[in-house]
Every structure is written in structure tokens, then in C-alpha cells.
Amino acid sequence: MNWAFVGASTIASQHMVNAVRQQAGNEVTWIVSNSPDRVKVWAKEHNFANATTSLEDAISDPEVGAVYISSTNEKHHAQAMAAIAAKKHVLCEKPLGMTLQEATEMVRAANAAGVTFGTNHHLRCSGSHRAIRKLIAQGRVGKVLSLRIHHAVHLPDHLQGWRINSADSGGGVIPDIVVHDADVTRFLLQEDPANVVAQMTSSGMGQGVEDSCMSVWTMPSGAMVMTHESFTHPFAGSSLEVHGTQGSIFANGVMTQRPVGAITLVTEAGRDEIAFPDHSLYVMGVSEFVAATEGHGRPAADGPDGVKSLSVALSVREAAKTGQRVEVDYGGF
């Protein structure tokens, strides 16, 4: 299958080009970017056959079967809708859109068109997170009482730009990181947050958008989730904890794009270090997406997963703005 990449992004360059090329018979044949200079340089650097500033050029190519979208957030909806109308499979970066309505429209349009739609939530593709999910499913911690995610990092200089200064482009730590933590929570616990309370602030990096957020979510099972996201913590590291009636899981350094970190299971019997596969998160995600386009299984994170993670993030922002508890609206999904 040939792919068109929409958005000459860092994630596309560092992870997704290789992830596609690792799939037998798959190649990226188009790059689309708003910048004529950037798109030409990008095509040369990555050895793409075609470069354009026109999305229509790429999606009108009958040899293109899939479109990967990693443009700025406010462009996702229109670009995805165009690709879906052209009967292309779509793998879109998170968040899917700027609003719940945008996201639901994209997913419903893909369903109606009969094309595969995936959300590129890479963390659920990691060996570490899948090992944690297995421990929970096996009952190794008993009934889950709480989950804590510490995802306060330092946003590198080359990734700042619109993420820290443009609300119109979808900037801010909530659309950038809270969506990840929402997806991780849903993936691990297999249930959707019911309501949230939150606070947000700008702690030195955000210019007109929040750069730090803390929130507490209530799950239908009664479990509580606490998350901390930030762009401004250079030395904090990341961690994930799951606490239950019979044990606790401590995972350090696993909220990352790389297959690293450590997992410890603590129970009455003692401490066990849990091994996990160190495969590429992005190669795994693309592999499952490609299989889904061929009628085998589903994407690692599908359209409804993307809608729901966005819904949680939007609710966190509303709760932080209003100071009120907010019930999460999943738009019918």
C-alpha cells in the first residue's frame, strides 16, 4: 500500500516514515505541506517520489491507499474529511480535531465510506503498557482502586512553537498530553472516565495557552484517576501507578515514545520485576493499522478511541476553566 503523508512533522520524520517502510509492500509516495520549500527538502531527505502543497494532488493519486495526518491540530478535520471522501484509509494524529463535533464527523464519515480510520495513540502500542494491561486483566492487583499518571516533562525547543503559543492551532498541554493519558487510562482499565475536576496554569512556557494541568477523574467502577501533565518539568521523569486491593504496579519511564522504562509488581508475596517486549511503538501501531485495512482485526486505537480521548481532554479543560466537576460527553460513542 502506498501512503501520502500530510504534514512534514517531527513525529513523521523521526518515527512514522520508518514505521511505514517496515511494513512489507508499504511505501510513502507523497508528502504534503503548506511550505513549498519545506516540502521539497523533506521529499529529498526521505526519498519520496512526490512533494506538493496541494492535498488534492496526493489524494487523487489512485495508487495511494492510506493517508497519515500529522499537521497542526486545527487542520486535521478538513484534511481527514477530504481523504475519506477520496476513499483513502486514514491514520490521524491526536487530538483528532479541535471539537468533539469535528472528531465525531470524521469517524462517522469513515464508517459510512467503508474505510479504516485510526488514531495514532502510540502509548497503547508499547510493550510496557500492554504488559500492565495484562497484569490488571489477570487480576494480579485485584480490584483496581486508583491509577496515577505523572506525565510532566520538558517540551524540547524544537517542538515548542505553536504548542505553547497558539490556541487557534490547538496548542496547550491539555490537547497535547492529556489526550494521551486519557487513552492510556481507557486502554488499561477498559472503561471510560465518567466525570472530571481539574486545574491548569501557565508556569513559564505557555503564552496564551496552559502549559501545566492536574486533574482527577472518576471511573464508572469507582476507581479514581489522578493525572499531572506539563511542558515545564525538565527533571521530573514520568511514571504510571496502578493500585488495587491485592497489589500495586509501579512503572517508571514508560510515558514515552521509546520502548524503555521498568515495571514492578508489588503484592503480599513480594516484588516482581516485570519484563516486556522492546518493539517500536510506531512500527507496532502501523502494523495493526495496515492489518485492519486488509480486513484483519482493528487499529490499535480506532476512531472512537480518538473521539473518547479528545472528549476527556475537552472536559478537563472545561473543568479547569469553570472550577466545576464536568460530566464527560462522548458524542454518542
Side-chain angles (χ1 to χ4, degrees):
M1 182 166 65
N2 289 337
W3 292 63
F5 272 28
V6 182
S9 66
T10 299
I11 188 172
S13 179
Q14 292 183 349
H15 300 285
M16 290 298 290
V17 173
N18 176 66
V20 169
R21 287 174 171 167
Q22 288 295 311
Q23 315 304 317
N26 281 247
E27 181 56 89
V28 183
T29 55
W30 286 87
I31 175 64
V32 183
S33 173
N34 287 338
S35 168
D37 293 334
R38 182 173 175 80
V39 76
K40 290 178 182 177
V41 170
W42 228 78
K44 184 176 181 180
E45 287 180 350
H46 296 286
N47 195 29
F48 294 161
N50 303 287
T52 182
T53 58
S54 168
L55 176 60
E56 181 60 31
D57 287 348
I59 61 177
S60 63
D61 182 349
E63 298 299 315
V64 168
V67 174
Y68 166 62
I69 299 172
S70 65
S71 52
T72 49
N73 298 340
E74 86 285 4
K75 299 183 179 75
H76 290 180
H77 175 259
Q79 292 169 342
M81 293 297 283
I84 292 165
K87 301 293 186 180
K88 311 299 182 184
H89 303 297
V90 174
L91 179 59
C92 187
E93 276 302 326
K94 52 78 210 165
L96 293 185
M98 298 286 282
T99 66
L100 179 59
Q101 180 179 352
E102 285 188 349
T104 57
E105 283 180 358
M106 293 156 68
V107 176
R108 287 177 176 143
N111 289 341
V115 297
T116 299
F117 189 97
T119 308
N120 202 30
H121 275 302
H122 64 276
L123 288 172
R124 63 165 59 201
C125 298
S126 69
S128 59
H129 288 234
R130 293 186 176 193
I132 294 168
R133 173 169 152 154
K134 184 176 181 179
L135 291 173
I136 296 169
Q138 290 174 336
R140 300 289 295 277
V141 299
K143 176 179 170 59
V144 174
L145 301 173
S146 65
L147 183 150
R148 296 195 294 182
I149 297 178
H150 184 269
H151 205 164
V153 296
H154 188 269
L155 189 66
D157 290 347
H158 71 279
L159 292 180
Q160 292 179 14
W162 63 271
R163 288 180 176 85
I164 65 167
N165 62 23
S166 179
D168 290 341
S169 297
V173 77
I174 291 176
D176 201 70
I177 302 184
V178 172
V179 288
H180 278 308
D181 297 343
D183 187 70
V184 166
T185 297
R186 295 185 56 257
F187 178 71
L188 296 181
L189 301 186
Q190 294 296 284
E191 57 176 343
D192 302 324
N195 56 68
V196 305
V197 294
Q199 290 191 356
M200 63 183 178
T201 190
S202 177
S203 56
M205 189 180 291
Q207 303 166 33
V209 298
E210 80 289 341
D211 61 28
S212 296
C213 176
M214 290 185 178
S215 58
V216 177
W217 314 342
T218 301
M219 309 301 288
S221 65
M224 298 191 71
V225 176
M226 180 174 69
T227 77
H228 178 196
E229 298 85 11
S230 182
F231 286 155
T232 64
H233 288 47
F235 308 110
S238 70
S239 63
L240 166 65
E241 301 175 10
V242 183
H243 302 286
T245 55
Q246 297 178 30
S248 289
I249 300 167
F250 297 88
N252 293 314
V254 299
M255 306 300 293
T256 176
Q257 295 169 309
R258 296 177 294 123
V260 297
I263 304 171
T264 304
L265 172 66
V266 181
T267 65
E268 188 176 19
R271 302 174 67 89
D272 290 324
E273 302 304 316
I274 306 299
F276 56 86
D278 62 353
H279 57 255
S280 162
L281 285 65
Y282 293 96
V283 171
M284 178 63 71
V286 172
S287 175
E288 293 185 6
F289 177 82
V290 170
T293 68
E294 297 170 346
H296 307 297
R298 46 153 281 172
D302 61 14
D305 288 320
V307 170
K308 290 182 176 184
S309 63
L310 173 62
S311 298
V312 175
L314 292 172
S315 297
V316 166
R317 177 167 275 169
E318 182 182 351
K321 284 182 176 179
T322 63
Q324 303 293 318
R325 181 184 301 272
V326 172
E327 301 294 323
V328 185
D329 176 9
Y330 291 107
F333 284 93

